[in-house]
Amino acid sequence: MELLSLDFMQRALLAALLIGVAAPAVGVFLVQRRLSLVGDGLGHVALTGVAVGLLTRSAPVLTALVAAVAGAVAIELMRAYARTSGDVALAILFYGGIAGGVVLVSLSPGGTAANLTAYLFGAITTTTPADLVAFVVLTAVVLLLVIVLAPALFAISDDEEYARASGLPVLRLNLLLAVLVAVTVVTSMRVVGLLLVSALMIVPNAVGQLVARSFRSAVLVAVVVGAVCSVGGVVVSFYAATPSGGTIVLLTIAVFLAVATASGVRTRVRAARHARAEFHPHVHGEGCGHPPVLHDDHVDYAHDGHLHSAHTDAHGTHWDEHGTAPPADRAAGAAPDGPR
Amino acid sequence: MIQGGPAVGDDRAPVLRLRAAAVGYGEVTVVDGVDLELARGEVVALLGANGSGKTTLVRGLLGLATVHGGDIELFGEPVGHLTRRWRVGYVPQRHTVAGAIPSTVREVVASGRLPRRGLLARHGRSDRLAVRAALAEVGLAERDREAVSTLSGGQQRRVLIARALASEPELLVMDEPTAGVDAANQRALVDVMRRLAGRGVAVLVVTHEVGPMAAVVDRAVVLQAGRVRYQGPLTAQMLGASDGGRWDGAPQWDGAHWDGHHPPADDSLAGAPWVPDLATGRDAGPGGE
């Protein structure tokens, strides 16, 4: 394949895979606690770090990492201690981050608008071998911490006040989560770009939210969607000559819309042909007092004038509504062909 | 059944002891001069109108509000230095489980086990048993794989109770557990309280309406405007045959139980200037939710 014979594409695809897995896995905790925009903000702050790197001719990934982590810690401390003004302080930090980035990039020797665009929206050709090593190490650390601390991160995200009341180190866990977000932002800046990175943290989780019933399965769905869209987006952007970040995000949103539509249709179809009976502790059976009625290929039970049908699925057996009982059955108390 | 039960050792001390306790947020003291003790197996109802300081007082016990004066001790340790906080189980006031990502009943209840098990420890056999026991206690063992958001309000409240029980607490603190809960779920709650008390767990329940819980409540504490106005057995109008057990803290005085404090004679005290309307909103009862 032509795609894989190019060194920069190999690096871009690997970087895309890493970020496609890590971003939703970290982002799920932001979505859970409705702090989806924190990732955006840290992307803004990281831009200042990139600019400092360009200005001082040091590696932009490292300076971006320092800036993003510092921003993350600042945001968490503000959230914890400056309750009322936290919102405005956050906004100032975000705007300051992007404004600082734009000004500093313009001052730096190689600083051009094209250069800036590559950092803001992602450019697959820019991932250097040194970047890739850093991304692999950082992503491995992020994923390890998320896996080990998942129960704790779930607890603080699900109910922060309860976590605090039960003695969990909430502030330290919040700081850790913020730092994980910051690191994820930086590792994704080459492929997705600092302005769009948050989309990869949030949108795959919106898909998980639609289809999953447990937190665990929601995360797994999000990670699969993130990885497929991230890698797929890089491939598309190669052939279509589009910016990788925008392509990845559009692909992810397309998946979200498709799943949302499909699950909407499915819900309606199910509602139409699968009406569950009212809360039903009673198990119908022979001699239960409810007359059995042969209904096409199965036996229903007449219950207060309507039919209940056993429906066994993964969660056990419940009773579905299967229409109105024929008046004769109600009156006679038994169906002529009922099983004995 | 919850295994282990209360830890032994330092348990000469009452489960909870407040001496002249003052609690508030920032500079604002909301409740003051509260004396209260809870022994093992005792069920105490904390009553009062909106803004009387019930929730603030409870948040003080949980380390969520600041102690401004006096002492609050749990298991003989000052509340600020309580080492094993999971010994207190907390059921917050809100009706529902609010996370944006779907989570199952089991996942939420297991998160209540985490403080006891430790952040890095594996969710081992004893943890699984404790979670299962907590689910069984509230009658949700069969529904542990369902998404919490698909349950009714009363069932979600039971999930939060199970979460508190998963750490096998010795003191259970419940904030308005019956508000917005249907009769069947209220009965289930009362049964849980009775079994817990029977095993020596102390229960402190913050409520507007003792009504459904009257059978298990040993003692009532009435807060009014941040002060304890009454402490003792339930009185006739707390049980409130006429209005379904609703107790709004101020107007209904039965002439015998105000502990020497000026007895309000009629409804005119509702909205009197010394009944603070707290701008913090932290003490909102069901009406404020």
Side-chain angles (χ1 to χ4, degrees):
Chain A
M1 244 172 117
E2 183 200 359
L3 201 65
L4 290 174
S5 63
L6 298 167
D7 282 351
F8 78 87
M9 277 309 289
Q10 291 173 1
R11 291 196 294 271
L13 287 171
L14 185 54
L17 181 64
L18 291 174
I19 195 61
V21 170
V26 173
V28 69
F29 299 107
L30 296 181
V31 175
Q32 173 79 344
R33 59 189 7 203
R34 300 187 162 87
L35 282 177
S36 299
L37 294 178
V38 163
D40 264 317
L42 291 179
H44 292 31
V45 174
L47 187 68
T48 292
V50 167
V52 169
L54 293 176
L55 199 59
T56 59
R57 294 174 182 283
S58 41
V61 168
L62 290 184
T63 50
L65 190 61
V66 170
V69 168
V73 171
I75 288 170
E76 264 322 307
L77 293 179
M78 270 189 287
R79 245 169 45 82
Y81 295 113
R83 280 175 200 167
T84 46
S85 61
D87 187 38
V88 173
L90 276 183
I92 290 174
L93 192 67
F94 293 179
Y95 303 141
I98 203 149
V102 170
V103 169
L104 290 178
V105 166
S106 77
L107 293 177
S108 69
T112 63
N115 210 326
L116 195 61
T117 307
Y119 286 107
L120 287 177
F121 302 109
I124 46 178
T125 54
T126 55
T127 310
T128 66
D131 287 346
L132 195 61
V133 172
F135 292 171
V136 169
V137 172
L138 290 173
T139 310
V141 172
V142 166
L143 286 177
L144 186 72
L145 283 170
V146 166
I147 290 167
V148 170
L149 290 172
L153 295 174
F154 173 79
I156 59 162
S157 305
D158 188 55
D159 191 340
E160 184 170 316
E161 180 180 280
Y162 175 78
R164 190 169 283 128
S166 61
L168 293 180
V170 172
L171 179 63
R172 273 179 285 163
L173 287 167
N174 277 337
L175 282 170
L176 176 79
L177 179 59
V179 169
L180 291 178
V181 173
V183 171
T184 309
V185 163
V186 172
T187 55
S188 47
M189 76 180 190
R190 294 293 195 200
V191 176
V192 195
L194 293 172
L195 271 195
L196 290 172
V197 46
S198 195
L200 206 48
M201 293 192 184
I202 307 307
V203 183
N205 283 303
V207 179
Q209 201 175 13
L210 283 176
V211 300
R213 211 162 13 158
S214 69
F215 192 82
R216 190 190 178 87
S217 57
V219 177
L220 291 176
V221 168
V223 164
V224 169
V225 169
V228 168
C229 290
S230 184
V231 172
V234 166
V235 173
V236 171
S237 79
F238 174 77
Y239 289 111
T242 49
S244 51
T247 314
I248 289 170
V249 172
L250 286 180
L251 197 59
T252 318
I253 291 174
V255 169
F256 169 74
L257 290 176
V259 172
T261 310
S263 78
V265 168
R266 197 184 61 169
T267 310
R268 230 165 283 154
V269 169
R270 277 211 180 158
R273 33 167 241 226
H274 181 132
R276 212 181 244 228
E278 69 270 33
F279 177 62
H280 204 291
H282 168 77
V283 176
H284 290 302
E286 276 185 53
C288 72
H290 295 107
V293 178
L294 193 66
H295 187 189
D296 299 338
D297 58 342
H298 60 271
V299 178
D300 287 351
Y301 292 86
H303 188 160
D304 291 343
H306 44 218
L307 293 177
H308 283 177
S309 169
H311 181 197
T312 303
D313 59 17
H315 317 289
T317 301
H318 58 260
W319 299 92
D320 287 345
E321 293 292 352
H322 263 208
T324 316
D329 298 326
R330 247 189 290 173
D337 302 334
R340 290 290 160 203
Chain B
M1 204 188 105
I2 303 279
Q3 301 85 33
V8 286
D10 51 346
D11 288 328
R12 282 299 159 103
V15 172
L16 172 67
R17 172 156 55 200
L18 281 77
R19 275 174 300 208
V23 183
Y25 305 101
E27 302 292 305
V28 183
T29 299
V30 180
V31 286
D32 202 354
V34 177
D35 293 297
L36 176 64
E37 271 195 25
L38 242 82
R40 294 186 49 195
E42 209 178 7
V43 180
V44 170
L46 185 57
L47 300 168
N50 282 349
S52 61
K54 308 185 299 284
T55 296
T56 303
L57 182 60
V58 160
R59 290 174 63 89
L61 314 180
L62 296 165
L64 298 173
T66 318
V67 179
H68 286 178
D71 294 314
I72 299 184
E73 284 180 6
L74 290 154
F75 316 108
E77 295 177 353
V79 66
H81 300 95
L82 184 60
T83 44
R84 290 170 291 163
R85 213 158 239 308
W86 48 259
R87 296 171 81 186
V88 183
Y90 171 45
V91 183
Q93 186 180 334
R94 65 201 170 85
H95 293 203
T96 53
V97 177
I101 303 284
S103 38
T104 62
V105 170
R106 174 178 293 270
E107 284 174 326
V108 170
V109 174
S111 76
R113 184 66 186 176
L114 180 69
R116 175 154 196 179
R117 146 186 137 217
L119 288 192
L120 297 174
R122 250 169 33 92
H123 191 70
R125 186 163 176 277
S126 63
D127 302 311
R128 282 195 296 276
L129 287 175
V131 168
R132 198 180 302 161
L135 283 165
E137 185 70 71
V138 300
L140 289 175
E142 304 302 316
R143 312 193 66 172
D144 64 330
R145 287 172 195 280
E146 293 185 31
V148 174
S149 56
T150 61
L151 302 184
S152 73
Q155 288 167 339
Q156 293 194 22
R157 190 63 69 89
R158 277 152 66 183
V159 172
L160 296 185
I161 293 169
R163 179 178 68 174
L165 295 181
S167 70
E168 297 167 78
E170 294 150 64
L171 167 63
L172 185 67
V173 177
M174 293 191 279
D175 199 350
E176 300 284 2
T178 55
V181 170
D182 62 52
N185 277 304
Q186 288 186 352
R187 281 194 297 276
L189 170 77
V190 169
D191 290 341
V192 170
M193 289 168 70
R194 186 178 288 121
R195 285 195 296 268
L196 289 173
R199 291 205 296 269
V201 177
V203 180
L204 180 64
V205 53
V206 174
T207 187
H208 270 66
E209 40 178 1
V210 196
M213 294 176 283
V216 284
V217 169
D218 297 315
R219 190 151 56 90
V221 176
V222 178
L223 276 186
Q224 193 174 27
R227 294 274 179 171
V228 174
R229 293 296 178 193
Y230 169 75
Q231 190 160 173
L234 292 175
T235 62
Q237 87 279 51
M238 287 177 192
L239 305 176
S242 61
D243 59 1
R246 204 164 168 78
W247 169 256
D248 62 11
Q252 303 156 318
W253 180 60
D254 70 352
H257 285 298
W258 283 99
D259 208 19
H261 296 287
H262 48 197
D266 55 36
D267 284 327
S268 66
L269 289 174
W274 46 270
V275 178
D277 176 22
L278 290 179
T280 61
R282 289 180 195 273
D283 201 25
E289 285 174 309

